[in-house]
Amino acid sequence: MALHLPAEKFLNKVTPMVEACLKSPEASTRRAAYLIMAVIVEGCGDFVMTRMLSQMLHTVCQGLSDPSHIVRNAALFAVGQFSEHLQPDISKYASELLPILFQYLNKSMEEMEKNPKGVVKSHYALEMFCENLGVGILPYLPDLMSYLLNVIKNCHLHKPKELAISAIGAAANAAKEKMTPYFKDILELFKVYLTGESTEEDNEEMKKLQLAAIDTLA
């Protein structure tokens, strides 16, 4: 509906329902509210950017602190959708949003076993935001690369490594030549995937990492 109805008319109807859902004691209902917000921006992006961006972004950031992980995951998905569909205006909020995302990335890694989707959603949100940030990423690049390289080097699970490799590609697209200082470390960590010199038993997962590394370097 967000793709086919006039944005103002559609949002005037939907917004009160979303606000009511956000106040619900039921986690599944709050989750639904953030998923609705995520989908809305695909069809109503221009209207949201001119009238509602600050308000909606503030609401989504609150969702990242929800006690329920299913709500937090939905809020992270919304951040990713906002980052993809509300450009370039959302980039102006980098100083507010990126520190929150960095904080949540660390939290999602700590909760990886009980909330694996949180790892995927947090990296999705980060990648979408960074890829469209351009030179605005530079103040955050040292902390970002420190985190991503550490995941590739020390995490024992394949999926976070794959997500981190992909996020490095997004950061490189934004930072351009400013990624040069990190290139040596990136190549050193990617070497095991590019040469096949690995003791990993799961060949299928290793192929995914190899493809991710090649795609990032392309």
Side-chain angles (χ1 to χ4, degrees):
M1 292 178 69
L3 293 171
H4 302 292
L5 293 177
E8 185 170 9
K9 182 179 293 187
F10 176 71
L11 288 171
N12 284 341
K13 295 289 186 181
V14 171
T15 300
M17 292 187 285
V18 170
E19 291 174 347
C21 289
L22 289 170
K23 297 175 183 177
S24 172
E26 297 294 330
S28 59
T29 304
R30 299 196 303 276
R31 172 181 179 269
Y34 288 109
L35 293 178
I36 291 170
M37 293 173 69
V39 174
I40 280 174
V41 298
E42 291 189 36
C44 303
D46 290 341
F47 185 88
V48 169
M49 283 191 288
T50 56
R51 305 276 191 92
M52 305 174 66
L53 179 53
S54 179
Q55 173 191 347
M56 287 184 67
L57 188 58
H58 176 72
T59 301
V60 167
C61 287
Q62 286 183 319
L64 298 179
S65 301
D66 194 278
S68 170
H69 72 268
I70 66 169
V71 179
R72 296 195 300 271
N73 290 350
L76 283 166
F77 176 62
V79 172
Q81 287 283 97
F82 285 16
S83 301
E84 185 174 359
H85 297 287
L86 300 181
Q87 292 293 338
D89 292 38
I90 196 170
S91 297
K92 301 172 186 176
Y93 295 87
S95 61
E96 300 173 35
L97 189 55
L98 278 178
I100 295 174
L101 281 179
F102 288 161
Q103 182 180 2
Y104 195 85
L105 281 168
N106 290 318
K107 184 175 182 179
S108 69
M109 292 296 289
E110 293 171 1
E111 299 177 343
M112 188 162 38
E113 291 188 5
K114 65 178 182 180
N115 181 25
K117 288 185 178 180
V119 176
V120 176
K121 298 297 185 184
S122 59
H123 282 82
Y124 164 71
L126 177 72
E127 183 173 341
M128 288 296 100
F129 195 83
C130 289
E131 188 167 9
N132 294 291
L133 197 54
V135 295
I137 198 175
L138 298 183
Y140 312 99
L141 195 59
D143 288 341
L144 174 62
M145 291 305 299
S146 175
Y147 167 80
L148 295 174
L149 293 173
N150 182 63
V151 170
I152 297 171
K153 184 177 181 180
N154 295 315
C155 184
H156 64 284
L157 297 175
H158 288 86
K159 191 60 179 180
K161 289 183 179 183
E162 182 184 349
L163 295 168
I165 290 171
S166 182
I168 286 176
N173 285 336
K176 307 298 183 187
E177 69 276 2
K178 298 298 183 180
M179 282 289 285
T180 303
Y182 305 99
F183 194 62
K184 181 179 178 181
D185 290 336
I186 291 171
L187 279 182
E188 187 64 30
L189 290 174
F190 282 12
K191 188 185 298 182
V192 66
Y193 311 123
L194 298 174
T195 62
E197 297 173 1
S198 174
T199 59
E200 300 282 355
E201 296 180 0
D202 194 337
N203 291 330
E204 190 63 33
E205 293 298 329
M206 280 299 294
K207 286 179 182 178
K208 292 180 182 179
L209 292 174
Q210 184 180 51
L211 290 173
I214 292 171
D215 185 59
T216 294
L217 292 174

